[in-house]
Amino acid sequence: MRVSSAKEDLEKYGYVRDDDTFELPEDRPRGKMVYFAGVWIVTLEWVIHGGFSFPFLLLPSLWLIFFYEKMSIIDMVLIMLVHELYFMLIGFLTWTTTYELSYMCEDILKKVLEGVADADLSDGDVAWRKIAYKANLLRSRYEPFYSGSQCRRVFVREVVKPVEANSYKICYRHKEGRQGYGDFCVDKSNKILVQRAVNNYNKNPRVSETHAEDNGAEIPTPSSVLTVRNLLCFFAVIEVIVQMICVGLWYDPEIRRKAHQ
């Protein structure tokens, strides 16, 4: 409660710390994985991954068929739970490699637009760090932006490109974890704010340079994450192979007799 209240006070009075004291997730030890975990939980991605992981529970069911007479109900439930968490972890690590922040909530989108419209973007990453920091103050459970460069890339993708295409189809998410979307520019004052922000952005002489810098992943995934994900997938494949062999052997009457002795 105190953290949330402090953030509200900072936002209310428009207080912004000195440039070198901004703290974004990218500045913290293990900040990248903590950031991903926060987004994964708050936006309910874990529910989606849990649902997709559920069919993989057919794999441990093969073990249960093979050893069911020697296992208790608790043992069976634990095996199923471990496998569910195992495949959810694979899903989480895979999700981090493709994550992009899209369809910001309305208050976050508005805060970013106000920041871009009023900022001196010639300061480069410092200006975008300020904008990201102020937008992050709107949330207490997690931080929407990992870094200033991510904030810039999201702004370009979600705002600048639609405006350049003369569509002004800028959507916002009604709430984290929900699929309902709204058209931000339906409100005339919002459309004016968008125009101000894009005009100020285009005045920046480094626009072409920043576009060139935006190639690649929005938040580069550590190589260690990819290594762990690949190892987990490898072990899952090995388990499937072993289980298929065991199921094939199960039809041998002699093996079945020995298994139940």
Side-chain angles (χ1 to χ4, degrees), residues 189-223:
S189 62
N190 288 343
K191 186 174 182 179
I192 293 173
L193 177 60
V194 168
Q195 291 171 332
R196 286 180 53 218
V198 173
N199 289 339
N200 191 42
Y201 174 78
N202 288 331
K203 290 178 183 177
N204 179 14
R206 296 188 66 249
V207 166
S208 59
E209 296 178 22
T210 55
H211 277 294
E213 294 170 1
D214 288 346
N215 295 325
E218 187 171 289
I219 304 177
T221 306
S223 58

Side-chain angles (χ1 to χ4, degrees), residues 1 16 22 35 45 70 72 89 104 122 137-138 184 186 191 195 215 222 239 249:
M1 293 296 292
V16 178
F22 286 132
Y35 169 81
E45 288 289 336
K70 295 186 176 182
S72 67
L89 178 59
M104 295 173 278
S122 62
L137 291 177
L138 297 177
F184 186 76
V186 168
K191 186 174 182 179
Q195 291 171 332
N215 295 325
E239 182 181 10
L249 294 174

Side-chain angles (χ1 to χ4, degrees), residues 49-70:
H49 293 155
F52 280 120
S53 300
F54 190 77
F56 288 101
L57 294 182
L58 293 174
L59 296 178
S61 69
L62 298 179
W63 289 115
L64 302 183
I65 291 172
F66 196 74
F67 296 109
Y68 73 97
E69 291 185 358
K70 295 186 176 182

Side-chain angles (χ1 to χ4, degrees), residues 103-136:
Y103 301 117
M104 295 173 278
C105 288
E106 185 176 16
D107 57 338
I108 295 174
L109 174 58
K110 196 166 187 177
K111 178 58 66 176
V112 170
L113 290 171
E114 290 172 349
V116 176
D118 298 331
D120 180 5
L121 299 179
S122 62
D123 290 341
D125 194 52
V126 172
W128 288 104
R129 282 174 59 85
K130 284 183 183 180
I131 296 168
Y133 173 76
K134 293 177 73 173
N136 285 351

Side-chain angles (χ1 to χ4, degrees), residues 12-56:
K12 179 179 178 180
Y13 295 106
Y15 174 73
V16 178
R17 298 186 293 182
D18 295 335
D19 298 346
D20 58 351
T21 58
F22 286 132
E23 186 178 62
L24 294 173
E26 68 172 342
D27 303 317
R28 303 172 193 143
R30 297 178 295 278
K32 186 170 292 186
M33 296 312 298
V34 172
Y35 169 81
F36 279 134
V39 174
W40 189 66
I41 293 171
V42 172
T43 59
L44 302 183
E45 288 289 336
W46 64 273
V47 175
I48 298 174
H49 293 155
F52 280 120
S53 300
F54 190 77
F56 288 101

